[in-house]
Amino acid sequence: MPSYTAPTRDLQFVLHDLLKISDSDIPGYADLDRDFTAAIIEEAGRLSSEVLAPLNAVGDREGCRLENGVVRTPTGFREAFDQLREGGWTALDCAEEYGGQGLPAIMRTATNEAFVSANMALNMYQGLTHGAYLAILHHGTEAQKAEWLPKLVSCEWTGTMNLTEPHCGTDLGLMRTKAEPQEDGSYRITGQKIFISAGEHDMADNIVHLVLAKIPGGPDGIKGVSLFIVPKFLPNEDGSLGDRNEVSCGKLEEKMGIHGNATCVMNYDGATGWLLGEAHKGMRAMFTMMNDARLGVGLQGLAQAEVAYQNALAYARDRLQGRDITGPANPEGPADPIIVHPDVRRSLMEQKSFVEGARAFGLWSTMLLDRAETMHDADAEGLISLLTPVIKGFFTDRGYEISTLAQQVYGGHGYIEEWGMSQYVRDARIAMIYEGANGIQALDLVGRKLAAQGGKPAMAFFELVKTFIKENEGDAELKAGYLDPLKAASKDLQAAMMYFMAEGTKNPQNALAGSYDFMTMMGHVCLGLMWAMMARAAKDALAAGASDEDFYRAKLATGRFYMARQLPATGMHLARITSGAEPVMALEAANF
Amino acid sequence: MPSYTAPTRDLQFVLHDLLKISDSDIPGYADLDRDFTAAIIEEAGRLSSEVLAPLNAVGDREGCRLENGVVRTPTGFREAFDQLREGGWTALDCAEEYGGQGLPAIMRTATNEAFVSANMALNMYQGLTHGAYLAILHHGTEAQKAEWLPKLVSCEWTGTMNLTEPHCGTDLGLMRTKAEPQEDGSYRITGQKIFISAGEHDMADNIVHLVLAKIPGGPDGIKGVSLFIVPKFLPNEDGSLGDRNEVSCGKLEEKMGIHGNATCVMNYDGATGWLLGEAHKGMRAMFTMMNDARLGVGLQGLAQAEVAYQNALAYARDRLQGRDITGPANPEGPADPIIVHPDVRRSLMEQKSFVEGARAFGLWSTMLLDRAETMHDADAEGLISLLTPVIKGFFTDRGYEISTLAQQVYGGHGYIEEWGMSQYVRDARIAMIYEGANGIQALDLVGRKLAAQGGKPAMAFFELVKTFIKENEGDAELKAGYLDPLKAASKDLQAAMMYFMAEGTKNPQNALAGSYDFMTMMGHVCLGLMWAMMARAAKDALAAGASDEDFYRAKLATGRFYMARQLPATGMHLARITSGAEPVMALEAANF
């Protein structure tokens, strides 16, 4: 029942009005003009609406089945995945020397939103493959790159990420999977991994597992963890598939959502693997994969919110209940569409202002990533490293909340599976958990990233906000509606950071007890900055006589909503944070 | 895998230390001494833990099945329901003359929490029956009461509430179901109703549907709606079951949760029914049922949060990951239990401070209800009427959020159905929707209840807060930790009300656009009041030399957390509210 249309107009606004990508000095950006990006986004949108979206409910209903060690994916998934592969979508931003299209990552972010909105479970089969591609690209030997990358780029083979074991998730130092060196330079991998997305399936000819394991005799804990390439089938010298490796799926998990994606218990029984990167430095390579995955998961939050919002909006325009308190809006009909009611409008504005703000922030951040990657820009790298946990944590928390809000617009129908809104909520829920639960993102942000490089990236972020405000506060409308609220929110965020610096050194719990609030607060300030920048861009477009005035005026109105109705959250978070660790930790664990 | 234990100690604290029920002048309260209430609660707890809770996952997994017009409930449900019936639990607060036990409603609230925590879907079969009992008790003729009440009290027959039709949920004036008067004084009911909980099932011999319908020729809209008693089987004169009535279940809905409860499409094809109460005044009788149901649904929010919290707490004490930043808490083990980590502790404190605060507020409110009902106390009636939408809306929003927080503590395991946390979230979700979606509760609160009786109940609420603060601010510890934050939050709430009064008269959208924030804010102030009162009670108990010091100190610590970390939300809500309707309504519906 639900439908999906890619937000082409809005993506074009962000790429060109806001980010002006084709004016950028980032390699490859000059080619990204309006027509080019429109063509790509429209094609991705078409594939999403026509091929992927109709399979979303099918995947939810059928799920995956494990039969004699083989995982069957839902009806139509393989064929749809073929279209993703054959259209080159999985290779969009991959290196040309391995068969990729060599486009900047920003084009991947822009198109992936549509794929994930349309079918999150299906798109995950390529999402982790991209992470495996990056890990091998950055840490593999030339021989490894030549052997594995072309197939991963084309998604003929898919990739996985094997970290978690039953007794160890966040604390990977407790890992038990072992890798014993063999005379031929390979390793024998033995152990059990759980929660392996796309661990086994029938969508690709081979599966390339990247597996964390310990080489016996290495250092204890996380410092003794190495990363291995462990394929389902061992490739022959000529690239054809050889013997089946000693790795198998022991169980499929029954989950709350993303039923179309196979979440596997993977058993390694002396499987053959090859070291990727240095021994005992496995986390370094894994983090390359994980950072990519964290941004990807953050975007899942946005993408689920977007599709849920689209459907809530359509329902709110269609469903007739009650009358507009200011006078009938649909006097000929038995009642007015519920979009006339202020509380429904509040909910829709919350949804809209999040998805548009997050879309801008996701693309703005990917531009930083492109700059960091291709220009080796240390400032951009510091900033994207700081912002990655915010995107992962804030986008996914909000993605779930927004999907829930959208479901609520449907009233009772929202709770009925047939209407499709429940699936968006259930699918969105996982994004808060995997790739580091959001509490871990908050810890990473406050415990690591804020203080990184002596606080340089954090200062750079505040500088960015300050500079934008300073350069634009001559515009009275911008100042009152957007810049002043942004300034207040940014001041709250800075005060929280100051509090951490002053009180966290006395007792680190003072910082950690406020870490989650800080992450949320920072997410709001980031979206606040985007809305201020979008308001500027919209005003410029209007001043330049843009033809679609309604679009730009809607931007201004939506931004004003965000400033007036969402940003005030920073004050609450600051109050919580500055109450310190005492109220949080006073109660002894035994006395709960 | 999840387990449940009734919070007997905490219930006893609320009933006796906080509310001092056996000292109350409310009829029946004098008998409710510590031993008596403990015995009842423990027995309800035993039934909940041993009989109902083990069936919770069974109900979720199996769901209900419709076979040839008959609905089969999950394995074990009927037998468990028999135990509820036979133990007299469904009759606890019903009138003795109809076979009830004649206890005050507060004992129903105290025991129901356990039943709902243990198995929400199963308990719903009795929940709506209680509503039907009340509707007939208050609006039926003596003959109707004699005919229907004894069987409803014993739950030999269960009840339902039939309001919604496919095209009309909130806006009942659009109703199409018609009731044609017959010569024998009965009516022929024809139409379709949807979302009928427990509409058809195999748990009881008969089902008594209370059905809203329009008598042809009556007034248009909501003023032409009447309420009818429409049984599944027509009783004979001697009370035995006669012919099957022309009512049937056309479909079972597939839902996000509460799978163990049958949500039915009900078809009335000239079914025989009898008018309950006056013609065209059906909403009056329905509201008796609905108010009871709204309080009941509010308590579902609390109950799901409680059981989810209990399991999150157990998991956090058991799961070993990472080390306490202040030094190993479990030096012999491979890692520390995750409860040592500040952000996990924050989450658990949020959970704990909500459930204990909501428990107190639910019982405190039921005490008001008892006073209103048995002593015809108009002030108590005004207050409970004001607070009903807050309990329904705030408790269920928070119930879902808290269940989600509890699920998050489990990390990846939280998303796997086998661990049981997903079910709490999925079940809790419906409570925000049914019995009037929470946006409607906010509308009821701000659009109706605040201004009722010239604002007398609202003023009485603020007076209550003020008086408590005034009487206790001589205690410096109480003042700093509890009363000052409560005073600030209450001031925010009053400022919001003043804003509505000043600006809502100019444009009602200024009030309606802030209604949801107001409801949430008021919920926080209500829980803040409870925490201040509980802190007072805990201090008194400690001063009196209570033996379980840890329990009372835990109360003080948990209350301090609520004040420091939850109450600051009121400032944010006030800021949103006073930004007015403009940011919410500025964007035209067509330009979204």
Side-chain angles (χ1 to χ4, degrees):
Chain A
M1 299 267 281
S3 67
Y4 172 71
T5 311
T8 311
R9 178 70 189 87
D10 201 47
L11 281 164
Q12 287 284 85
F13 165 76
V14 173
L15 293 176
H16 301 289
D17 291 287
L18 182 70
L19 304 179
K20 301 183 172 44
I21 54 172
S22 55
D23 298 346
S24 165
D25 58 345
I26 301 172
Y29 272 51
D31 298 335
L32 306 179
D33 63 28
R34 278 183 190 265
D35 289 346
F36 181 79
T37 61
I40 291 189
I41 292 166
E42 273 162 24
E43 186 54 25
R46 194 201 55 74
L47 185 62
S48 298
S49 303
E50 295 175 13
V51 180
L52 304 183
L55 292 173
N56 195 43
V58 175
D60 188 53
R61 211 164 45 234
E62 290 186 13
C64 297
R65 284 165 300 126
L66 176 64
E67 294 170 352
N68 303 320
V70 178
V71 172
R72 307 277 175 216
T73 52
T75 309
F77 266 44
R78 166 108 202 192
E79 293 75 13
F81 199 55
D82 283 342
Q83 291 201 42
L84 268 177
R85 273 191 277 248
E86 287 157 16
W89 296 106
T90 64
L92 210 62
D93 66 335
C94 297
E96 286 172 285
E97 61 180 306
Y98 301 111
Q101 310 212 22
L103 287 173
I106 200 167
M107 291 315 296
R108 180 176 160 85
T109 297
T111 52
N112 246 340
E113 186 198 314
F115 298 145
V116 181
S117 284
N119 198 322
M120 175 166 155
L122 196 152
N123 199 63
M124 286 172 65
Y125 291 96
Q126 71 140 321
L128 287 162
T129 307
H130 191 264
Y133 157 80
L134 286 180
I136 296 175
L137 183 73
H138 287 106
H139 304 277
T141 62
E142 287 307 317
Q144 285 174 330
K145 292 191 222 180
E147 182 171 16
W148 304 104
L149 293 185
K151 300 285 193 184
L152 288 172
V153 165
S154 66
C155 261
E156 283 169 89
W157 298 355
T158 63
T160 73
M161 200 168 150
N162 287 238
L163 291 81
T164 308
E165 300 180 7
H167 63 288
C168 90
T170 298
D171 190 350
L172 291 170
L174 303 174
M175 188 171 294
R176 291 186 194 141
T177 298
K178 63 177 185 208
E180 294 158 303
Q182 304 298 300
E183 295 204 343
D184 65 355
S186 72
Y187 289 79
R188 277 173 62 87
I189 316 288
T190 307
Q192 189 178 65
K193 295 286 181 177
I194 63 170
F195 302 155
I196 308 309
S197 297
E200 175 57 42
H201 57 81
D202 56 5
M203 309 260 280
D205 300 335
N206 200 5
I207 300 173
V208 182
H209 303 288
L210 294 196
V211 184
L212 284 180
K214 283 185 167 177
I215 302 170
D220 280 343
I222 194 74
K223 293 189 171 125
V225 165
S226 308
L227 187 61
F228 298 89
I229 301 174
V230 188
K232 176 177 168 185
F233 290 102
L234 298 165
N236 296 318
E237 298 272 322
D238 65 356
S240 65
L241 292 182
D243 292 343
R244 174 78 192 233
N245 204 352
E246 293 300 325
V247 47
S248 59
C249 170
K251 187 187 168 196
L252 280 185
E253 304 287 1
E254 264 193 57
K255 309 181 300 294
M256 185 177 182
I258 51 166
H259 295 156
N261 198 276
T263 304
C264 303
V265 173
M266 296 305 294
N267 296 319
Y268 293 86
D269 302 307
T272 299
W274 294 275
L275 185 66
L276 176 62
E278 288 176 59
H280 316 312
K281 303 272 166 76
M283 288 311 291
R284 198 182 291 173
M286 191 46 99
F287 260 108
T288 301
M289 187 162 186
M290 214 139 57
N291 280 330
D292 183 63
R294 285 179 175 178
L295 290 174
V297 169
L299 294 172
Q300 289 180 335
L302 157 63
Q304 292 302 292
E306 165 69 22
V307 66
Y309 161 64
Q310 282 189 16
N311 285 283
L313 175 60
Y315 188 84
R317 282 176 164 152
D318 188 55
R319 175 79 172 172
L320 307 179
Q321 297 286 283
R323 287 292 183 191
D324 188 334
I325 196 156
T326 64
N330 173 34
E332 306 300 307
D336 290 339
I338 60 173
I339 196 172
V340 305
H341 303 306
D343 187 60
V344 173
R345 194 73 68 95
R346 168 201 61 83
S347 168
L348 292 171
M349 288 299 287
E350 236 180 83
Q351 297 169 48
K352 183 178 171 67
S353 65
F354 169 73
V355 295
E356 293 180 9
R359 176 174 300 125
F361 189 58
L363 291 166
W364 181 86
S365 300
T366 313
M367 195 166 166
L368 273 181
L369 190 71
D370 274 328
R371 182 176 296 282
E373 290 280 312
T374 58
M375 302 174 80
H376 308 287
D377 181 321
D379 291 344
E381 198 169 326
L383 212 44
I384 190 67
S385 168
L386 172 73
L387 297 173
T388 296
V390 178
I391 294 175
K392 162 41 167 111
F394 182 69
F395 279 26
T396 62
D397 278 353
R398 293 295 285 154
Y400 177 67
E401 289 163 9
I402 295 294
S403 301
T404 300
L405 274 181
Q407 180 188 29
Q408 188 76 10
V409 171
Y410 277 68
H413 298 99
Y415 201 64
I416 309 297
E417 291 294 351
E418 187 184 341
W419 290 75
M421 300 306 285
S422 161
Q423 187 187 351
Y424 297 133
V425 174
R426 289 184 291 98
D427 286 359
R429 181 68 183 89
I430 187 57
M432 299 159 70
I433 299 174
Y434 61 18
E435 303 312 338
N438 285 356
I440 298 300
Q441 304 300 326
L443 179 66
D444 180 45
L445 175 64
V446 169
R448 252 180 249 130
K449 302 294 176 65
L450 271 190
Q453 302 173 53
K456 199 176 157 204
M459 287 305 148
F461 175 77
F462 285 116
E463 200 50 41
L464 212 88
V465 175
K466 217 168 102 183
T467 305
F468 182 80
I469 293 173
K470 198 175 252 176
E471 287 175 359
N472 289 283
E473 60 191 354
D475 181 327
E477 186 196 353
L478 220 51
K479 182 171 187 303
Y482 309 86
L483 303 177
D484 287 349
L486 174 61
K487 193 189 265 185
S490 172
K491 214 179 120 193
D492 285 344
L493 187 68
Q494 258 179 300
M497 198 172 75
M498 292 302 152
Y499 174 84
F500 289 157
M501 285 166 66
E503 302 300 322
T505 41
K506 291 181 202 158
N507 173 4
Q509 292 180 333
N510 280 325
L512 300 180
S515 58
Y516 212 100
D517 281 291
F518 189 86
M519 177 176 75
T520 306
M521 202 174 179
M522 186 150 180
H524 278 301
V525 174
C526 291
L527 263 60
L529 172 64
M530 289 302 119
W531 274 115
M533 288 167 58
M534 288 196 279
R536 163 85 283 157
K539 287 198 72 174
D540 289 349
L542 286 167
S547 59
D548 43 357
E549 258 191 54
D550 283 345
F551 176 85
Y552 293 105
R553 293 207 183 284
K555 277 283 167 227
L556 289 167
T558 309
R560 235 164 38 239
F561 176 89
Y562 200 87
M563 298 298 175
R565 292 256 171 179
Q566 304 291 283
L567 268 194
T570 58
M572 172 185 74
H573 293 296
L574 177 62
R576 286 184 184 166
I577 287 169
T578 54
S579 74
E582 198 278 338
V584 176
M585 304 302 294
L587 183 58
E588 296 285 329
N591 294 336
F592 265 75
Chain B
M1 299 267 282
S3 67
Y4 173 71
T5 311
T8 311
R9 178 70 189 87
D10 200 48
L11 282 163
Q12 288 283 85
F13 165 77
V14 174
L15 293 175
H16 300 290
D17 291 289
L18 182 71
L19 303 178
K20 301 183 171 47
I21 54 173
S22 56
D23 297 345
S24 164
D25 60 343
I26 300 171
Y29 271 51
D31 297 335
L32 304 179
D33 62 28
R34 279 183 189 266
D35 290 346
F36 180 79
T37 60
I40 291 188
I41 292 167
E42 275 162 22
E43 186 53 24
R46 194 200 56 73
L47 186 62
S48 299
S49 304
E50 296 174 13
V51 179
L52 304 183
L55 292 173
N56 196 43
V58 174
D60 188 53
R61 210 163 45 233
E62 290 187 14
C64 297
R65 284 165 300 127
L66 177 63
E67 294 170 352
N68 302 320
V70 177
V71 172
R72 307 278 175 214
T73 52
T75 309
F77 266 43
R78 165 106 202 193
E79 293 73 13
F81 199 55
D82 283 343
Q83 291 201 43
L84 269 176
R85 273 191 277 249
E86 287 158 15
W89 296 107
T90 65
L92 210 62
D93 67 335
C94 296
E96 286 172 285
E97 61 180 307
Y98 300 110
Q101 310 214 20
L103 286 173
I106 200 167
M107 292 313 297
R108 181 178 160 83
T109 297
T111 52
N112 246 339
E113 186 198 314
F115 298 145
V116 181
S117 285
N119 198 322
M120 175 166 154
L122 196 151
N123 199 63
M124 285 172 65
Y125 291 96
Q126 71 139 322
L128 287 163
T129 307
H130 191 264
Y133 156 81
L134 286 179
I136 296 175
L137 183 73
H138 287 107
H139 303 278
T141 63
E142 287 309 316
Q144 285 173 329
K145 292 192 222 179
E147 183 172 14
W148 304 104
L149 293 185
K151 301 284 194 185
L152 288 173
V153 165
S154 66
C155 262
E156 283 168 89
W157 299 354
T158 62
T160 73
M161 200 167 151
N162 287 238
L163 291 81
T164 308
E165 300 179 7
H167 62 288
C168 90
T170 298
D171 190 350
L172 291 170
L174 303 174
M175 188 170 294
R176 289 183 196 145
T177 298
K178 65 178 183 207
E180 294 159 303
Q182 304 299 299
E183 295 205 343
D184 64 357
S186 71
Y187 289 78
R188 276 173 62 87
I189 315 289
T190 307
Q192 189 179 64
K193 295 287 181 177
I194 63 169
F195 303 155
I196 309 308
S197 298
E200 175 58 40
H201 58 80
D202 56 4
M203 309 259 281
D205 299 336
N206 201 5
I207 300 173
V208 182
H209 303 288
L210 295 196
V211 183
L212 284 180
K214 284 185 168 177
I215 302 170
D220 280 344
I222 194 73
K223 292 190 172 126
V225 164
S226 308
L227 187 61
F228 298 89
I229 302 175
V230 188
K232 174 177 169 185
F233 290 103
L234 299 164
N236 296 317
E237 298 273 321
D238 65 356
S240 64
L241 294 182
D243 292 343
R244 174 78 193 234
N245 205 352
E246 293 299 325
V247 49
S248 60
C249 171
K251 186 187 169 196
L252 281 185
E253 304 287 1
E254 264 192 58
K255 309 181 300 293
M256 185 176 181
I258 52 165
H259 296 156
N261 199 275
T263 305
C264 303
V265 173
M266 297 303 295
N267 295 320
Y268 294 87
D269 303 306
T272 300
W274 294 275
L275 185 67
L276 176 62
E278 288 176 58
H280 315 312
K281 302 271 167 76
M283 287 311 292
R284 198 183 292 175
M286 192 45 101
F287 260 108
T288 301
M289 187 163 185
M290 215 137 59
N291 279 329
D292 183 62
R294 285 178 175 179
L295 290 174
V297 169
L299 295 172
Q300 289 180 334
L302 157 63
Q304 293 302 293
E306 165 68 23
V307 67
Y309 161 64
Q310 282 189 16
N311 285 283
L313 176 60
Y315 189 83
R317 282 177 164 151
D318 189 53
R319 175 79 172 172
L320 307 179
Q321 296 286 283
R323 289 290 183 191
D324 187 334
I325 196 158
T326 64
N330 173 34
E332 306 300 307
D336 290 340
I338 60 172
I339 195 172
V340 304
H341 302 306
D343 187 60
V344 173
R345 194 73 68 93
R346 168 201 62 82
S347 168
L348 292 172
M349 288 299 287
E350 235 180 85
Q351 297 169 47
K352 182 178 170 68
S353 65
F354 169 73
V355 294
E356 293 180 8
R359 177 173 300 125
F361 189 59
L363 291 165
W364 181 86
S365 300
T366 314
M367 195 167 167
L368 274 181
L369 190 70
D370 274 329
R371 182 175 296 282
E373 289 280 312
T374 58
M375 302 173 81
H376 307 288
D377 182 322
D379 291 344
E381 199 167 326
L383 213 44
I384 190 68
S385 168
L386 172 72
L387 297 173
T388 296
V390 178
I391 294 174
K392 177 359 177 136
F394 182 69
F395 279 26
T396 60
D397 278 354
R398 294 295 286 153
Y400 177 67
E401 289 161 10
I402 296 293
S403 302
T404 300
L405 274 181
Q407 180 188 28
Q408 189 76 11
V409 171
Y410 277 67
H413 297 99
Y415 201 64
I416 309 297
E417 290 293 351
E418 188 185 339
W419 290 75
M421 300 305 285
S422 160
Q423 188 186 352
Y424 297 133
V425 174
R426 290 183 291 98
D427 286 359
R429 181 68 184 91
I430 187 57
M432 298 158 70
I433 300 173
Y434 60 17
E435 303 312 337
N438 286 355
I440 297 300
Q441 304 300 325
L443 180 66
D444 180 45
L445 175 64
V446 169
R448 252 179 249 129
K449 302 295 177 65
L450 272 190
Q453 302 175 54
K456 200 177 156 201
M459 287 305 149
F461 175 77
F462 285 115
E463 200 50 42
L464 213 88
V465 175
K466 216 168 103 183
T467 305
F468 182 80
I469 293 173
K470 197 175 253 175
E471 286 175 1
N472 289 283
E473 58 192 353
D475 181 326
E477 185 195 352
L478 221 51
K479 182 171 187 304
Y482 308 86
L483 303 178
D484 286 349
L486 174 62
K487 192 188 267 186
S490 173
K491 215 180 120 193
D492 285 344
L493 188 69
Q494 257 179 302
M497 197 171 76
M498 292 303 152
Y499 174 84
F500 290 157
M501 285 166 66
E503 303 299 322
T505 41
K506 291 182 202 157
N507 173 5
Q509 292 180 333
N510 281 325
L512 299 181
S515 58
Y516 212 101
D517 281 292
F518 189 86
M519 177 175 75
T520 305
M521 201 175 180
M522 187 150 179
H524 278 301
V525 173
C526 290
L527 262 60
L529 172 63
M530 289 302 119
W531 275 115
M533 288 167 58
M534 288 195 279
R536 164 85 282 156
K539 288 198 71 174
D540 289 349
L542 286 168
S547 59
D548 44 358
E549 260 192 52
D550 284 345
F551 176 85
Y552 293 105
R553 295 207 182 285
K555 276 282 166 226
L556 289 167
T558 310
R560 236 165 35 240
F561 176 89
Y562 199 88
M563 298 298 176
R565 292 255 171 179
Q566 303 290 283
L567 268 194
T570 57
M572 171 184 74
H573 293 297
L574 178 61
R576 286 183 185 168
I577 287 169
T578 54
S579 75
E582 199 277 337
V584 176
M585 305 301 294
L587 183 58
E588 295 285 329
N591 293 337
F592 265 76

